[in-house]
Amino acid sequence: MPRPEYVGKPGPTPYDGSYVTSPEIVDRMRVASKLAAQALQAVGAAAKPGVTTDELDAIGHEYLVERGAYPSTLGYRGYPKSLCTSVNEVICHGIPDDRPLEDGDIVNVDITAYLDGVHGDTNATFLVGDVDEEVRLLVERTEEALNRGIKAVRPGRQVSIIGRVIESYAKRFGYGVVRDFTGHGIATSFHSGLIIPHYDDERFDDVIEPGMTFTIEPMLTLGTYEYDLWDDGWTATTKDNSITAQFEHTLVVTDSGAEVLTLP
C-alpha cells in the first residue's frame, strides 16, 4: 500500500509549494476526504460505554485499509496509532489505549485518509451514553462554531476572519478557544504550513484564494484554553481539566466561498 513519504522518518519533508491546489489534486482529495468522513461515521457509531479507544482505533484502521487508504496519522512524527481519540479534558491528539469509555464521556475522533497521494482530514466529537446538558451544549456549539468558520471563508479575505468569527461566537457562552492547535493547509502534504487560527489574531494575514485547501477545526472548552502536554509528547489536556470538544472539516475555497470535502 502506498504510504506518505514521512512514514519511517522523524518527520515530513517540509512543504514549499503553493497553498493553492490544482483541480486535479482537489478531485483526488474529494475521494480521500469522503472516505475519511465515512470512516469517522463508522468509528463514531461504535463509541459506546464499555468500548475502549483501542477498539475504536482498530475500527478506523480496518475501515481505511480495506478500502485501499493509509491512515495518515500512523507513523506521522512517530505517532503510533491510526487515529486520535481525545476524551473529556483531552483537547487533541489523544492516543488510543485500553481505557473503556464510560457513560457520560465525550470522545473526539480525528481520522485522516491518505489515498492516491493526497490526504483528507476530519474529526467530530461523539456523546457516550447520557451526557450532562452543559457538555452536550458545548459539543453542539463547537460544531456550530465550525460551520460559522466555514461560512466566513471568501476569496480576498484574510484567514484571520475565520478565527474572528469562531471566537466571537464562542465568547457568547464563555467558552475558551484553544490557540496553540490550529487548522492547517492540506493536500499532497498532511500539513502544508498554512495556519488557520480559531481565535481573533490579525497576524494571520494570508489572503484566501480560490483553490486553497485547508482544514478548520476549532477546539472549545468549558474553562481555560491553556493546556498541559503529557509525557507521551502528543496528548494535550486543558490545564484546569475542563471538558473540551472539537470538530473538523477539510475544504477547498471556491470563487464564492468554500466547498466542504469531508462529507460522507
Side-chain angles (χ1 to χ4, degrees):
M1 175 180 295
R3 303 181 178 191
E5 56 83 22
Y6 51 73
V7 175
K9 296 165 51 179
T13 302
Y15 180 79
D16 61 0
S18 171
Y19 296 149
V20 174
T21 303
S22 73
E24 182 271 331
I25 292 177
V26 171
D27 283 343
R28 285 190 271 149
M29 289 182 69
R30 286 189 178 95
V31 179
S33 296
K34 181 178 181 179
L35 180 58
Q38 292 169 335
L40 180 64
Q41 281 191 325
V43 176
K48 301 182 184 302
V51 175
T52 69
T53 50
D54 264 338
E55 289 174 308
L56 297 183
D57 178 72
I59 291 169
H61 178 91
E62 291 169 11
Y63 193 98
L64 293 181
V65 171
E66 287 175 355
R67 291 159 179 81
Y70 184 88
S72 299
T73 60
L74 185 61
Y76 178 76
R77 298 188 183 276
Y79 187 81
K81 298 285 186 171
S82 295
L83 49 77
C84 301
T85 49
S86 301
V87 180
N88 295 337
E89 75 276 10
V90 180
I91 296 171
C92 59
H93 303 156
I95 300 175
D97 58 20
D98 59 0
R99 175 198 185 277
L101 295 171
E102 299 177 5
D103 186 64
D105 283 343
I106 62 171
V107 57
N108 177 269
V109 176
D110 193 339
I111 189 165
T112 308
Y114 179 76
L115 182 66
D116 200 14
V118 299
H119 301 267
D121 188 5
T122 187
N123 75 54
T125 300
F126 299 96
L127 308 180
V128 181
D130 186 17
V131 176
D132 288 345
E133 178 72 1
E134 181 183 38
V135 176
R136 186 190 64 77
L137 285 172
L138 171 70
V139 173
E140 180 181 298
R141 290 165 178 167
T142 303
E143 185 171 20
E144 175 62 16
L146 168 62
N147 292 334
R148 289 178 181 231
I150 292 170
K151 289 176 182 176
V153 174
R154 291 287 187 280
R157 292 178 171 177
Q158 295 178 339
V159 297
S160 57
I161 185 65
I162 298 168
R164 188 172 307 130
V165 167
I166 289 171
E167 186 170 43
S168 175
Y169 176 71
K171 279 185 171 180
R172 288 168 48 183
F173 311 103
Y175 295 153
V177 182
V178 173
R179 294 169 173 250
D180 291 278
F181 303 98
T182 67
H184 54 89
I186 186 171
T188 56
S189 175
F190 195 177
H191 299 87
S192 73
L194 176 65
I195 295 173
I196 307 297
H198 305 120
Y199 63 100
D200 189 2
D201 191 331
E202 293 182 355
R203 291 177 300 169
F204 296 95
D205 58 1
D206 290 283
V207 176
I208 298 171
E209 301 178 55
M212 276 185 166
T213 47
F214 53 80
T215 72
I216 303 176
E217 46 188 297
M219 291 146 269
L220 306 186
T221 80
L222 290 178
T224 184
Y225 62 77
E226 297 180 338
Y227 71 97
D228 293 315
L229 188 66
W230 286 10
D231 291 340
D232 61 24
W234 286 101
T235 307
T237 58
T238 52
K239 190 169 283 290
D240 59 2
N241 290 321
S242 59
I243 301 296
T244 176
Q246 181 185 16
F247 284 83
E248 174 187 20
H249 276 309
T250 295
L251 55 88
V252 58
V253 180
T254 67
D255 289 336
S256 59
E259 175 192 346
V260 176
L261 301 179
T262 39
L263 294 177

